[in-house]
Amino acid sequence: MACDGFRRSKEKRDLSDMKSKAAEFYQGNGVPQEIERALNHLFFHQSGDIYGDLANYFTKLAAPPRISKLKGKEVYDARGQLSIQAEVFCIIRNEEKVKSMSNTLASLVSCCRHNFVLMHQITRPINFFMARYLEKEEIQSREREQSCSPSKLEEEPPTPPPAQPKGRKSGDKGKKGTNVEKPIPPREPPEPVLPGSWAIGSVSLAVAKTGAQIQGVPLYKYIAALKNQEAQTQFHVPVSLVTLLSCGKTSPGKLNLLEEVILIPAAGQQVKQIITMALELQNELMRIMNTSSKAALSDTGALAVGCERPEQPLDLIAEACSDLGLALGTEIHLAVNCAAHELMDYSKGKYNIATGSLKSPDELVDLYQALVSKYPAVVALIDPLRKEDVEQWDKLSSAIGGSCLLLSDVTTKPQTPPLPGVKGHILRQMNETSISDLIQQTLICNNGLGGGSGPLGKVGLGLSYVKLGGLSGGERLTKYNRLISIEEELAQQGILGMFFFSLTPPLSFFSWVEIKMRLDKAAER
C-alpha cells in the first residue's frame, strides 16, 4: 500500500510539473492569446468552412519557409543540348516539400547574389560544367602545342608582306594625298565567364519561383516587388518584337550582315494582335519565298532566307506588306540586329558582310547610311559596329541618329564610357547575371529591351520591349502564349497600364551624367 501511495504521489508531482512546463511553454509563445483571437475570428466571421478558416488563420502565423537543400541533375533542353535542372526543397510547416523545379539554358534569370552560397550545394551540375570547361582547355592546349610544333612551323609559308594601298608606290613615304586606311582598334578581351555559371542561373531561377509560390504571387509580381520595394498598382506588358527573317552567317546565301530583321508593331496593340499580324506576314513571306526556293527556319524560329545583298530581305518584307495592305513605315517599322562584332575578319581588319565582300568600319557606316535612307521603315540598328569602333559609332550617330536608333547589348555591364549615340540597350540573362544585376541595369538604362528567356521576368522588370524570336518552335510559342495570358490577367484585375512608348525617334533618355548620379546615390544607400 505504501508503494502504491508513493507511486501515485510521484505521478501527481510529475503531472503538476508537466502542467507547469506546458503553461510556461504556451504562455511564452503566446498560444492562449492567439487561440482566443482565432476563436473570436471564427465567431464573428461564421464562415461555411470553420476548420478551413481556422487553418488559414494559423497558416499566417507559421514560420516562414526556409530552404533545406538543393538538388541538380543533367537534362536535355529543347535543342537537344545538355543543360541542368534544379529542385528547391523547403521546410514548410515542419514538412519538407519540393516547391520549384526549372529547366534552364544559358540565359535564365538569376536570383539575388546572397543566394550564391546555396549554389555550392549543387555539386553535380557545377562539376558537369567544370568537366566541360577542363575538356575545352585541354583541347585548346593541344591545338596550341600543335601550332607551335617544329613540323608545323616548317610547313607554314612565310607571311606575305601587306599589300600596298592603291595609288601609292613603295617609295612614296611621307607624301600627302595617299589613301592609307587606319588600323582598326584591337579587340577588347572577353568578359571572364565563371565555369558552371549556367548552374547558378538554374538554381536562382528555381529559388525565385519558390519565393513567388510561397507568397502566392506570379513571378513577374515577385520580381517587380524586388525592383520597386513596394506593391505595384499597375503593370504594362512589354511590346513584342517578332523576328521575321534571319540572314546571318548560318543562313543560306552569301549575306552575313543582317542577323535578324525584326518587326516593330505600332504602339498600343495587344500581344495577340501583334502575333496575329506577325503570323500573317510570316505566311506571306513563306508564300513568296516558296515561289523560288523552299523556306527554312533558323535557330531563332524565324525564316532563314538566302540573300546576297542587304537590300533583298528588306525588299521581301516590303513586298509582303504590300500584298497584305500593311503600311510599312506607318503601321509597322523594322529593326535590324546586325551583330557586327561576329563579322570582323581580324586578319584583314574588315567586316565580312557577305561572301567576297569586306567593308572597313568607315565603309560599313556608309552602307548603313544608304540603307536607312532607302528604307525609312528601318528605325533601329542593334550592334551595328563593334564596341571598339567608337569613332564610327559617333559618325553613324551623326549621320542617321535623327531617324534611326542605335541600340547596344549591355548584357554583362553598361559600356563605360557609353558608346556615342546609343539610345537604348539590350538586356539578356546569361551566365552568372543575377536579378539584382538586371534590376540595376533597368534603373540606369532608361530604355530596356529584353531578349532571351521567358516573359515573366520582362514584365516584372518593367522593360519597354521583349524579343523572344520568331513564331516557330514549341518553347518559343509557349513564351508568347504566356505573355498573352499575363496581359489578360492584368486586364481582368484592372491593373493593366496603357503603354504608348514608341521605339521610333525622337526619344528622351537619361544622359550618362544622370546615370552616374543614380549609381552614386545607390552606392551611398
Side-chain angles (χ1 to χ4, degrees), residues 196 243 435:
T243 304
I435 284 183

Side-chain angles (χ1 to χ4, degrees), residues 396-430:
L396 184 61
S397 174
S398 301
I400 66 172
S403 59
C404 184
L405 297 179
L406 304 182
L407 308 180
S408 174
D409 190 332
V410 291
T411 297
T412 53
K413 63 180 180 180
Q415 185 76 6
T416 309
L419 290 167
V422 170
K423 297 295 185 181
H425 299 90
I426 311 296
L427 305 177
R428 292 180 291 125
Q429 300 82 43
M430 58 187 298

